[in-house]
Amino acid sequence: SCPHTPAKDKLTDSRTCALKSKKTAYKIADGAGLYVEVTPQGSKLFRLKYRFAGRESRLGLGKRPGPIACSCA
């Protein structure tokens, strides 16, 4: 757990499951570099933003499974 990130900002299963698509892609971050990008098609992509040698980079960590895998569905 990152000491700089309040618990309310964490990306939990129920929080990511409840995200809905919009007309444009948007991001929901946990405050520690990890975020979920929600596409207009409804995909939820986990990404990590980091810096190395002064350059910002992003690492794709994978796609969240569809609504059948959501515990809140």
Side-chain angles (χ1 to χ4, degrees):
S1 170
C2 179
H4 306 291
T5 305
K8 65 179 175 126
D9 291 340
K10 294 295 181 186
L11 292 170
T12 62
D13 180 56
S14 59
R15 186 174 179 205
T16 57
C17 182
L19 297 173
K20 304 294 181 198
S21 62
K22 297 180 181 178
K23 286 187 177 183
T24 59
Y26 67 97
K27 301 173 189 173
I28 300 293
D30 77 345
L34 180 68
Y35 65 93
V36 174
E37 182 176 341
V38 183
T39 67
Q41 295 78 23
S43 294
K44 298 167 186 172
L45 310 169
F46 284 89
R47 301 186 189 276
L48 181 69
K49 186 166 69 170
Y50 65 96
R51 288 191 170 274
F52 182 74
R55 293 186 60 201
E56 184 178 293
S57 295
R58 290 178 185 86
L59 176 66
L61 301 174
K63 182 178 175 180
R64 190 186 193 297
I68 294 172
C70 285
S71 61
C72 60

